[in-house]
Amino acid sequence: MTRKTVIILIILLFTFSCVKDVPFEIPEAKTELALFAENYPEDSLEVIISLAQTMGHYPYYNINEPVKISLFEDNNLLQEKYAKMYGHKYIDTAFYGITNFDNEMLKEGNRYQIKVSNPGYDDIEAETIKPVSVKIKSLTWKHIEGKMPEWYFDVYGSYEAQNPMGPTTEYTHMIEFSITFDDPPVNNFYQCGIHIFYDIYEAKIGYASFGWPDPPYNIVSYITPPPDYSTRAGHANEIVFDDKDFNGEEKTIKLVVPVKEIIAFPYDYIIKLYSLSEDHYKYIVSEWLYNRSKDDPFAEPVDFYSNVNNETGIFAIASCDFDTIIVNEK
């Protein structure tokens, strides 16, 4: 080793030994109101108000009361309500407000605005158009055999997917639903849901598609028991898609659900084709990207899409067409 090389190594060693750890601090940012209202026709329009705070800076108070929420249709006031507050003020950070508006007021094709006023914070506003629903043209089913798409195992985290030896059921029986509709010649955004009646209540169920090996999806928790009937809410991951590959054309999508070898009893399956606004679709996709990358330290940062004027939240109203098909092999 030359004398010059030794000198360089000594200089580098001295330089790095003098470097001190600098504490990393997250800069504080303005605390603002956040709005979340993602409405589907089965439910009332639920508006949730919370605070958007810088990560790591959580004051022991959230939202001042009262929280006034105003709903407009084409800039004409429809209704004003005050949010009901939940959580423990001055104790924890889970302090937020909720109010509900009657879904029957919301008409397809109309534009709606929300304004939130709360003492101590800037007002926030958002607007959306309730899309015109696209009608299901035909709905058929058939009983098939094969292996469920890998997406089904990945998304729903089944035992078969977690088995280190691979899926224990290579082949299974499935119902394949074919849903056909005419896509209008404008940009359209969709979400599909499959409901089934269990005993006396309706619930969404999990499904997959061979046509979409890795689709964006919306995580939904939904169940509609009759009055005075309590049950735990289920969840499903419903595929969302746009019409860029079939704009203005007839489209058939095929969805599959696993079933037993023999379908001994008839079931009513309700197929729902939701029409989303572009804002709604972009928000769902950003949430999907976030969930895919949140445990990956090397993933690119994901910006949540927002149509609220301070870029914290979403206001979206979906429309829906549905059809019911009875699955019965007897």
Side-chain angles (χ1 to χ4, degrees), residues 157-171:
S158 67
Y159 169 76
E160 288 81 1
Q162 298 171 13
N163 188 332
M165 300 303 292
T168 57
T169 305
E170 285 293 332
Y171 292 92

